[in-house]
Amino acid sequence: MARYSKSEAREWAREKLLGVAQVTIPTMTSDFKRLNEKAVRHDVALAMEHGFIGSLAVSEVPLSVEEHDLFQQVMVDEGKGRFIVVHHAVFNTLEDNIEMVKKAEANGCELVLLGYPPHFYPKSLDDVYNYSKAIIDATNLAVMLFPVPTWGFGRLHPSDIPIPVLRRLVDDCPNVVAIKAEGGMPYIMSAIEVHREFHKEVVISSPLEYEYLTLGQLIDIPFCGTNYSAFFGTTLPRAHRLMQEKKYAEVTEIFYQLDPMRKAVGTLGFGGQGLSNRLLWKYQAWLQGYNGGPIRHPTARVHGRDMALLRNATQAAGLHPTSDPDEAFFVGRNPA
């Protein structure tokens, strides 16, 4: 159970959402029949060692309800109360999402990243509000709102979820504690607007490293997550500490250091048609010591040219990618 009540959620967030959170992608056994618990523990332990304060328990991969519960429980257990496990609320229907957020609360997750399923096609912004509020009201957990073009709400407003809808949710739901500001990408107006309107009430997260390392020098951004920052090893948690110390020249050096990796990701993209290529994200993390290993089909593929691009970019940035051959990625560091 969470370490706070619903009425204390914002106070908890102000205290705890200070740092960088990445993502954890579940690993299956070599026969694809079970969750590889040892691999999950490896990833959580390394994330803590790298300085991350938490991680998203990714749900956009094929898992049964029971396997997803186990995945979260293993992450929570390995975190030992020192690591925030974030529930990824993007299941098929509203009813499924309400069921799964209740399970996440019982499993020990402490934050919810509120997403929207592919078959949710709102006719109006009121529909977005009503769907969001139904899930938020169904849990005592702290919730992070997530405006982003992925949902397709740009046809309703260029910011994806505009200020009036966010305002209603912040005012009506005491457990809305944060906003992951990616609305209207690739432009930053929505991120600026969200910060201006809400930063005194809830935590504003800037999850995109290139925006965080720049905007964070001008406005106070306490939280960077959830994101693919495992690709950068210890770099973003270190940059966050420097940002808090106002050592902006050193942060700027990190921004330029990561340029080859940033451009490699820009070349490959995050995925297609609103679904991140989680196998590609897994390979990025594997370069920095994370487990890698099997994900159930269906999944996007990772080709040799993609791996070469990412490995070479990591080397160019001086982040010392693993010397293990790429074929070892598909087996993982803790095969079972």
Side-chain angles (χ1 to χ4, degrees):
M1 302 296 289
R3 291 171 285 184
Y4 55 84
S5 67
K6 198 165 190 172
S7 63
E8 298 168 333
R10 291 186 186 174
E11 181 181 354
W12 171 86
R14 285 288 182 200
E15 178 184 352
K16 299 297 183 181
L17 298 186
L18 185 62
V20 184
Q22 37 108 297
V23 306
T24 300
I25 301 165
T27 303
M28 307 309 295
T29 55
S30 59
D31 60 6
F32 296 92
K33 293 183 178 179
R34 294 178 293 108
L35 184 74
N36 183 337
E37 295 184 37
K38 187 176 180 181
V40 175
R41 290 185 182 278
H42 171 93
D43 284 347
V44 171
L46 187 58
M48 291 192 291
E49 182 182 328
H50 281 177
F52 292 99
I53 65 168
S55 190
L56 179 72
V58 170
S59 64
E60 291 174 338
V61 293
L63 291 176
S64 68
V65 170
E66 294 75 19
E67 288 167 340
H68 190 268
D69 278 353
L70 178 60
F71 175 42
Q72 291 185 339
Q73 291 163 8
V74 170
M75 287 184 67
V76 169
D77 183 66
E78 187 64 28
K80 300 176 176 63
R82 298 182 286 110
F83 194 71
I84 299 167
V85 178
V86 184
H87 174 64
H88 195 189
V90 287
F91 294 88
N92 291 315
T93 66
L94 174 61
E95 293 73 21
D96 288 344
N97 276 290
I98 289 174
E99 175 190 356
M100 295 306 289
V101 79
K102 291 179 181 294
K103 288 179 176 291
E105 189 169 343
N107 292 336
C109 295
E110 293 189 284
L111 181 65
V112 177
L113 178 62
L114 180 57
Y116 303 86
H119 287 276
F120 176 62
Y121 196 80
K123 297 178 182 178
S124 68
L125 291 169
D126 281 341
D127 290 344
V128 175
Y129 168 84
N130 291 332
Y131 179 96
S132 304
K133 189 173 187 296
I135 296 175
I136 297 166
D137 287 349
T139 182
N140 293 311
L141 292 179
V143 176
M144 181 160 62
L145 304 177
F146 189 12
V148 67
T150 299
W151 316 131
F153 301 164
R155 63 190 169 80
L156 300 175
H157 192 277
S159 68
D160 298 299
I161 304 180
I163 292 296
V165 178
L166 296 173
R167 167 51 62 197
R168 291 175 67 192
L169 291 169
V170 169
D171 287 350
D172 296 348
C173 306
N175 53 326
V176 168
V177 305
I179 301 174
K180 185 179 180 183
E182 293 188 52
M185 289 196 305
Y187 310 112
I188 64 170
M189 178 53 74
S190 177
I192 295 295
E193 185 182 33
V194 164
H195 185 276
R196 183 179 67 241
E197 179 74 17
F198 296 110
H199 78 278
K200 293 181 180 179
E201 299 169 79
V202 299
V203 173
I204 305 301
S205 170
S206 179
L208 301 169
E209 57 83 20
Y210 53 87
E211 289 187 3
Y212 171 67
L213 295 175
T214 50
L215 291 177
Q217 300 188 38
L218 300 175
I219 55 180
D220 180 36
I221 302 176
F223 186 47
C224 177
T226 56
N227 50 34
Y228 68 108
S229 50
F231 183 33
F232 306 111
T234 62
T235 306
L236 282 191
R238 177 165 58 89
H240 186 277
R241 291 192 296 272
L242 292 169
M243 195 81 79
Q244 301 306 303
E245 296 167 3
K246 302 187 185 306
K247 295 180 178 179
Y248 299 138
E250 294 180 47
V251 173
T252 301
E253 288 180 13
I254 290 173
F255 177 86
Y256 289 127
Q257 177 190 2
L258 298 180
D259 190 62
M261 302 172 75
R262 183 180 305 119
K263 287 178 176 174
V265 171
T267 298
L268 296 176
F270 292 107
Q273 301 300 316
L275 183 65
S276 296
N277 183 341
R278 297 301 184 184
L279 194 62
L280 190 69
W281 287 37
K282 216 173 201 307
Y283 176 78
Q284 292 171 349
W286 177 81
L287 288 172
Q288 292 296 320
Y290 291 87
N291 187 81
I295 297 177
R296 276 198 189 118
H297 192 66
T299 178
R301 297 174 187 267
V302 179
H303 297 290
R305 63 180 181 272
D306 305 330
M307 293 187 284
L309 179 64
L310 293 166
R311 180 186 287 274
N312 291 339
T314 304
Q315 187 67 51
L319 266 59
H320 310 296
T322 179
S323 60
D324 294 342
D326 283 342
E327 57 263 31
F329 162 72
F330 297 95
V331 177
R333 292 196 158 90
N334 296 274

